[in-house]
Amino acid sequence: MSNATASTPKIKILDENLINKIAAGEVIERPASVVKEMVENSIDAGARNISIELEEGGLKLIAIHDDGIGIAGDDLELAFTRHATSKILKAEDLFNILSFGFRGEALPSIASVAHVRALSRFRDRNAGSEIEIEGGKFKSLKAAGCPPGTSIYVSNLFFNTPARRKFIKSPRAELARITELVTSYSIGNYSIGFKLKHNDRYLMEYPPAKTLKDRLGAIYGYNSLENFIPLPGTDEGAFDNPGTLLGYISHPDQAKSRATDIRFFVNFRPIYSRTLMAALKQGYGNKLHPKLYPVCAVFFNMLPRDIDVNVHPAKTEIRFKNESELFIKLKRVVEHGLRSAGVLTGLSIDENNESPSLSGQEASKPFSFKKPPEQKRDMQESLYKGGFTGPSAGPTPDQSNIDRETGEIKPDIAKEPRTEANLYDRHAQPKMWQFKESFIVVPLKDSLMFIDQHNAHERILYEAAIHRLKSGKTSTQQLLFPITVDLTPSEFARWTDYEQILAQLGYEISEFGGNSLIITGIPAGSDDSSPEIVLRKILDDFPGDEDIQEDLNRRAAASFACHSAIKAGQKLSPEEMNLICDKLFACEEFNVCPHGRPIIARLTVDEIEKKFQRIIPEKK
Ligand code: ADP
Ligand code: MG
């Protein structure tokens, strides 16, 4: 038997430093959490300009400077003490929170897991002070000369919590998160100037903006503003009036493969909400491909008593008193906005009827991939251009009759036929036709073959791209008129990460100042009608802050092929159809596209005859 008295655990109150470290585990998960807390503090302090500097994705250094009200020297140590806040005084205040912070937890938590140096000068004083804290241990406090406002330097984050440090992914993934986060805050607080610098490079330099539209222009490029549709009342509305729902949503053509550019703000605080996201998508009805997400910046201004921000330690999710009402309201203003812009037509919404079936009628129509007429172009040109103008390749390594660099068929070298290819004889020059501007129909000896034109072209481009990536031999077609693209900071960061792969694919791109690029060449064989859109879509498909598990080459090739391939709804000439068939059957795999969707379907004579209930005479 053990000695019960000796093993009885003693209950003790934890020391302050340990409490802070535990709290840090909740609030400070990664470098982006530090940036978030400090940016919120600067906004709460009434800053007009906020500037952030990072080294190694924030793991080595996060520095933030603001020109806000500052902290008086006698309060500086207190600011780093747990539950010390200037923002609430009594319990009632909790139901009337207008500031970002109120828990008084962030600064002591950060200081418990990093080396922190803070300099601050209260607006009305002529001198500032400086404090140093390391791993929660107070080091020094002294008078210091500094401009009004606050500067905080956080270095060696998680130096004393190795488990947490290990959990952090690469600096590039952390930088991607921080870039996303600062972009969100810079939209939600567009009247504040924001700068973000990583190592020696500025990723953002936004002066204070007069309107949300100005800030969106700074981020997405002023040329893209025409693609933003205002929600009703936005262009003339006051964003800080309680009860307003204002903002911009993108034209459905601008939809992205990720939800990252869907931004909701409640009282200027970026929040995540599945409910609101669903309402937004429903508002687009059948105009939005179900797998895509629009770009938006939507501001909800609510009375503090109608929301509860105190449900999540990092306050990224909040509780609405009346979520279903908000859902209907958002869906409806989105529909209104799209209708005013002429994107949605047909049945209009009955103001007094909230029945979802009203808009459901439109939503039940199948989504159409049809391109707007001005984007339709003669594919023959680009297919042939890719096929026959690329630099001629040296001897192909595997005797294949497909030119691995351009995707071109060498007409005089025959390839061993397999399965469907077996039945398809290019020399017989079967008369093909196009069905529904989507399928190529080829009459064979004993069957009719249907080829999905998009999936087929995707496969052709994919195999050519994979070959380029593997062999290191690129093949570029020069653009007659170079095209400039304004990227968002997040897209730009991704471009710098994947620049090399894009070059291997055949892109010829250079930096053009700020977050702009200039495209001078694109992979041979791809459509040159809107390379900037294709490039953005490819960047969108590259991993951002998530772990990369998949083979990047495959991902890049599949993404390039998918976005560059001809679409359903595009008219093809007989020559183009022939070319697609020839190239397809020279591919290593021609039954499925890189995403696994079938390319070919066949209807045999037997199947046709069965439909006519023909009795097939038995052979004697
Ligand atoms: P909270 O924001 O919840 O009050 P913090 O730990 O983030 O708690 O900050 C503690 C206090 O330090 C704040 O209430 C504020 O008074 C002061 N403070 C922090 N950052 C700044 C800043 N950039 N400018 C002025 N005051 C600041
Ligand atoms: Mg705070």
Side-chain angles (χ1 to χ4, degrees):
M1 294 285 278
S2 66
N3 183 336
T5 332
S7 65
T8 301
K10 261 236 170 300
I11 298 178
K12 280 176 278 176
I13 295 205
L14 297 174
D15 81 63
E16 166 106 357
N17 194 7
L18 187 53
I19 297 173
N20 287 334
K21 252 174 127 173
I22 294 168
E26 252 194 348
V27 193
I28 308 300
E29 261 190 311
R30 53 186 350 122
S33 340
V34 175
V35 176
K36 174 183 179 291
E37 294 297 336
M38 299 207 300
V39 165
E40 289 191 349
N41 281 345
S42 297
I43 298 172
D44 282 345
R48 307 295 308 140
N49 289 284
I50 299 173
S51 146
I52 302 150
E53 283 165 45
L54 308 168
E55 281 174 29
E56 288 171 26
L59 290 164
K60 193 169 166 207
L61 174 77
I62 301 169
I64 182 162
H65 311 280
D66 72 48
D67 55 0
I69 190 161
I71 308 170
D74 20 341
D75 278 351
L76 200 51
E77 197 178 347
L78 201 57
F80 285 89
T81 310
R82 195 166 164 75
H83 301 313
T85 176
S86 56
K87 298 168 195 173
I88 58 172
L89 276 178
K90 43 194 190 308
E92 297 94 282
D93 293 347
L94 262 184
F95 303 99
N96 198 23
I97 293 167
L98 288 167
S99 58
F100 284 130
F102 56 83
R103 289 170 176 244
E105 265 178 349
L107 290 187
S109 299
I110 295 168
S112 73
V113 291
H115 292 184
V116 173
R117 189 165 72 91
L119 280 145
S120 193
R121 182 173 138 199
F122 190 65
R123 210 169 263 168
D124 298 338
R125 304 219 174 151
N126 350 330
S129 26
E130 177 180 348
I131 191 171
E132 271 187 273
I133 301 178
E134 278 182 21
K137 289 193 193 82
F138 172 85
K139 291 281 160 185
S140 66
L141 176 67
K142 54 185 187 236
C146 59
T150 305
S151 292
I152 301 180
Y153 301 84
V154 177
S155 46
N156 304 326
L157 187 62
F158 301 132
F159 78 98
N160 56 352
T161 49
R164 176 70 67 176
R165 183 69 184 75
K166 252 194 214 143
F167 160 84
I168 300 295
K169 297 173 208 158
S170 60
R172 64 162 277 285
E174 296 310 313
L175 176 65
R177 272 179 186 261
I178 295 173
T179 308
E180 262 318 305
L181 179 110
V182 180
T183 305
S184 280
Y185 278 83
S186 79
I187 296 175
N189 302 274
Y190 55 82
S191 59
I192 298 176
F194 276 87
K195 283 186 187 167
L196 176 65
K197 193 174 167 190
H198 184 240
N199 297 337
D200 284 325
R201 190 172 189 285
Y202 277 103
L203 299 173
M204 291 182 197
E205 279 187 281
Y206 306 148
K210 282 210 180 66
T211 62
L212 171 59
K213 207 166 181 173
D214 279 349
R215 179 55 52 86
L216 292 177
I219 294 171
Y220 291 99
Y222 292 94
N223 292 339
S224 72
L225 284 181
E226 61 195 47
N227 298 318
F228 281 103
I229 297 165
L231 295 179
T234 295
D235 284 334
E236 53 287 340
F239 280 65
D240 38 16
N241 279 355
T244 53
L245 199 181
L246 302 170
Y248 294 90
I249 55 174
S250 67
H251 194 278
D253 282 357
Q254 305 295 311
K256 304 185 113 189
S257 62
R258 303 161 175 258
T260 41
D261 288 64
I262 294 183
R263 294 192 170 92
F264 297 122
F265 304 91
V266 171
N267 299 350
F268 307 101
R269 180 198 300 279
I271 56 126
Y272 174 82
S273 162
R274 283 170 91 79
T275 311
L276 295 181
M277 220 183 265
L280 172 77
K281 287 193 80 171
Q282 282 194 22
Y284 279 80
N286 67 337
K287 293 294 171 190
L288 187 71
H289 187 287
K291 284 197 177 144
L292 297 182
Y293 303 88
V295 176
C296 79
V298 178
F299 287 63
F300 298 80
N301 206 306
M302 323 234 333
L303 290 171
R305 63 174 146 81
D306 289 332
I307 47 174
D308 185 357
V309 289
N310 199 15
V311 290
H312 187 278
K315 310 179 202 90
T316 45
E317 286 181 50
I318 66 175
R319 193 177 290 138
F320 298 107
K321 290 273 152 66
N322 203 339
E323 199 169 47
S324 52
E325 204 175 274
L326 218 53
F327 178 96
I328 292 166
K329 206 171 163 190
L330 175 61
K331 183 180 162 199
R332 194 177 267 173
V333 296
V334 168
E335 277 175 343
H336 266 287
L338 293 172
R339 214 169 280 284
S340 315
V343 174
L344 283 179
T345 47
L347 273 179
S348 97
I349 317 154
D350 180 354
E351 284 302 308
N352 303 314
N353 192 336
E354 306 204 333
S355 152
S357 65
L358 268 175
S359 52
Q361 286 200 12
E362 196 173 47
S364 65
K365 277 193 226 148
F367 177 81
S368 149
F369 281 94
K370 239 190 175 85
K371 270 193 172 182
E374 72 276 8
Q375 272 180 274
K376 266 195 193 173
R377 36 174 271 120
D378 193 8
M379 273 311 295
Q380 182 170 347
E381 206 191 331
S382 76
L383 274 170
Y384 275 103
K385 213 187 291 166
F388 297 113
T389 59
S392 64
T396 41
D398 58 2
Q399 291 298 318
S400 154
N401 64 335
I402 187 166
D403 183 328
R404 293 290 168 192
E405 290 188 26
T406 61
E408 181 206 338
I409 311 286
K410 295 278 181 60
D412 42 2
I413 310 169
K415 173 140 185 155
E416 277 293 83
R418 292 156 295 168
T419 48
E420 266 82 3
N422 213 350
L423 305 163
Y424 170 74
D425 175 7
R426 61 188 305 272
H427 299 294
Q429 297 191 318
K431 189 156 171 41
M432 322 176 169
W433 66 95
Q434 201 185 8
F435 179 59
K436 289 266 179 195
E437 296 190 342
S438 301
F439 307 99
I440 303 169
V441 187
V442 189
L444 301 177
K445 199 163 158 258
D446 284 320
S447 62
L448 269 183
M449 178 166 66
F450 295 82
I451 297 173
D452 182 300
Q453 64 189 44
H454 171 75
N455 292 0
H457 195 211
E458 203 177 341
R459 169 54 70 181
I460 295 164
L461 292 175
Y462 174 78
E463 291 205 0
I466 283 285
H467 179 73
R468 280 179 204 147
L469 292 172
K470 279 191 183 151
S471 67
K473 285 190 205 156
T474 54
S475 167
T476 300
Q477 78 191 53
Q478 298 297 320
L479 292 176
L480 201 51
F481 302 104
I483 293 176
T484 54
V485 206
D486 298 325
L487 298 180
T488 65
S490 302
E491 286 170 336
F492 193 88
R494 238 177 259 161
W495 180 73
T496 48
D497 282 343
Y498 300 112
E499 193 182 344
Q500 231 181 332
I501 274 200
L502 288 165
Q504 278 169 28
L505 274 176
Y507 277 100
E508 213 176 78
I509 303 173
S510 35
E511 292 188 21
F512 201 52
N515 290 326
S516 301
L517 301 177
I518 183 157
I519 311 177
T520 47
I522 59 174
S526 52
D527 183 1
D528 62 2
S529 60
S530 40
E532 70 286 8
I533 295 175
V534 173
L535 176 69
R536 295 185 92 126
K537 287 185 171 167
I538 296 174
L539 288 173
D540 224 30
D541 285 345
F542 278 123
D545 56 8
E546 64 271 51
D547 272 333
I548 308 159
Q549 271 146 10
E550 209 181 324
D551 173 359
L552 256 191
N553 277 356
R554 289 200 173 279
R555 187 151 167 167
S559 168
F560 159 73
C562 176
H563 300 305
S564 313
I566 52 166
K567 303 277 185 294
Q570 220 156 316
K571 201 169 163 49
L572 302 176
S573 70
E575 292 78 11
E576 288 165 344
M577 290 190 261
N578 273 312
L579 193 65
I580 288 184
C581 290
D582 289 352
K583 284 186 173 188
L584 176 67
F585 292 116
C587 283
E588 268 167 28
E589 162 66 71
F590 44 74
N591 286 308
V592 287
C593 83
H595 297 105
R597 286 185 304 259
I599 296 174
I600 297 167
R602 280 204 303 143
L603 196 57
T604 63
V605 175
D606 287 357
E607 285 163 324
I608 297 170
E609 284 179 336
K610 246 189 221 148
K611 288 195 193 297
F612 293 106
Q613 301 183 349
R614 281 231 185 132
I615 297 142
I616 303 155
E618 264 180 50
K619 276 193 187 140
K620 286 183 185 142

